[in-house]
């Protein structure tokens, strides 16, 4: 299997790092990288055993079985549509377009035999994956509420990049990185409706929402979601509360701290010194493998039957429907 990566920035590099590992495991044969704005990286890519494609025609000539698109949001849609014209299997990094109409166009272009997936690597963080599977398996009982917080510490000058440009990014913290949280909501429930939303902006002042608070529900379960790029202390927290117990995931590796997943039972204190002492420490992870794990699951889909799968175009379209419903109320 040959794989092409288009866009060699932060995430293109993560995908290449993952591909090097998957080549060592024998999952893929080789890879090529295309990024006309990063030609200086060619020697480093070649040192890793990859090839450099100067143009999209070179990528096509490489005849990859999979193409990964990791470019800014304003170029990713057209690139994806073009690549789908000659390659049947594409992974586009989230989001699935900048709007519902772009998502619908992408979905339309991937009908039939084509496989279009969207990179939602949060599904593959060990703590999140285990907690979601626990919730699905009914370990916590009927879900009462799910709380999620993703706060990005940020750095000076980030407002000058494309991610803070409303046109290039398509929006603010709700689409990036908030779309990950909407995807996780949809991994737990399908029919999610928005109750209320509140946005804030006023620090970076580039015309995007900088902090968003959302209240959503599905049946009797409330989803309380916060996402921010003005939180200064990088924070990730996922709490799943059910009638029988709960699961709490904190951290996301790197500046967010190690990811820890703990489980607790209702009134666990009855059999322990206190509630905290009754909790089970399920795992600790530095979260270095999510991009590799997502690609391994993608490339081997149908063979090993992973219990949490890479996001399909159909699922990503539903995430964008939810996003647009929220965005329209901001
Ligand atoms: N899953 C995650 O946790 C996560 C985190 C960050 C970004 N992302 C997503 O990954 C994608 C890329 O983000 P990034 O952080 O790597 O951005 P980036 O700015 O670091 O890199 C983008 C790269 O694309 C290149 N590029 C631009 N136009 C191109 C073109 N026409 N052809 C080839 N290359 C082109 C740029 O030169 C740059 O190197 C986005 O969709 C973003 O939302 C995902």
């Amino acid at each position: 299997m040959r794989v092409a990566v288009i866009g060699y920035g932060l995430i293109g590099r993560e995908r290449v790092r993952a591909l090097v590992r998957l080549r060592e495991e024998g999952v893929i044969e080789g890879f090529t990288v295309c990024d006309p704005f990063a030609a200086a990286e060619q020697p480093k890519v070649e040192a890793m055993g990859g090839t450099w494609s100067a143009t999209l025609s070179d990528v096509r000539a490489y005849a990859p079985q999979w193409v990964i698109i990791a470019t800014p949001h304003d170029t990713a849609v057209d690139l994806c549509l073009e690549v789908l014209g000659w390659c049947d299997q594409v992974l586009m990094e989230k989001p699935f377009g900048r709007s519902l109409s772009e998502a619908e166009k992408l979905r339309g272009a991937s009908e039939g035999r084509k496989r279009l997936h969207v990179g939602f690597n949060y599904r593959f963080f060990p703590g999140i994956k285990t907690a979601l599977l626990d919730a699905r398996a009914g370990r916590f009982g009927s879900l009462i509420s799910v709380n999620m917080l993703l706060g990005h510490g940020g750095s000076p000058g980030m407002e000058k990049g494309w991610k803070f440009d409303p046109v290039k990014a398509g929006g603010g913290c709700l689409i990036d990185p908030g779309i990950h949280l909407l995807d996780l909501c949809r991994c737990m429930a399908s029919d999610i409706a928005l109750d209320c939303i509140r946005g804030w902006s006023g620090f970076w002042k580039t015309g995007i929402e900088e902090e968003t608070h959302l209240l959503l529900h599905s049946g009797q379960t409330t989803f309380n979601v916060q996402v921010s790029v003005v939180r200064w202390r990088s924070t990730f927290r996922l709490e799943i509360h059910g009638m029988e117990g709960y699961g709490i995931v904190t951290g996301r590796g790197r500046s967010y701290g190690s990811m820890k997943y703990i489980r607790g039972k209702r009134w666990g204190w009855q059999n322990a010194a206190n509630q905290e002492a009754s909790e089970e420490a399920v795992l600790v992870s530095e979260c270095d493998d999510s991009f590799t794990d997502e690609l391994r699951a993608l490339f081997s889909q149908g063979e090993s039957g992973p219990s949490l799968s890479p996001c399909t175009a159909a699922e990503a379209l539903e995430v964008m429907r939810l996003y647009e419903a929220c965005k329209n109320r901001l």
Side-chain angles (χ1 to χ4, degrees), residues 6-12 34-37 70-73 75 79 93-95 121-122 162-163 176 180 291:
I6 302 179
Y8 195 57
L10 184 70
I11 299 305
C34 176
D35 189 330
F37 309 102
T71 64
H73 303 165
T75 56
L79 266 174
E93 296 296 345
K94 59 81 188 159
N121 65 311
Y122 278 43
W162 65 265
K163 291 176 186 174
D176 188 8
H180 280 296
F291 292 104

Side-chain angles (χ1 to χ4, degrees), residues 177-195:
I179 202 83
H180 280 296
L181 303 189
L182 297 182
D183 177 57
L184 295 181
C185 290
R186 286 210 73 266
C187 286
M188 282 178 266
S190 50
D191 52 341
I192 298 173
L194 176 68
D195 295 309

Side-chain angles (χ1 to χ4, degrees), residues 124-139:
F124 290 87
F125 285 130
I128 294 177
K129 178 172 180 160
T130 312
L132 292 186
L133 291 176
D134 281 348
R136 280 188 187 178
R139 188 183 271 264

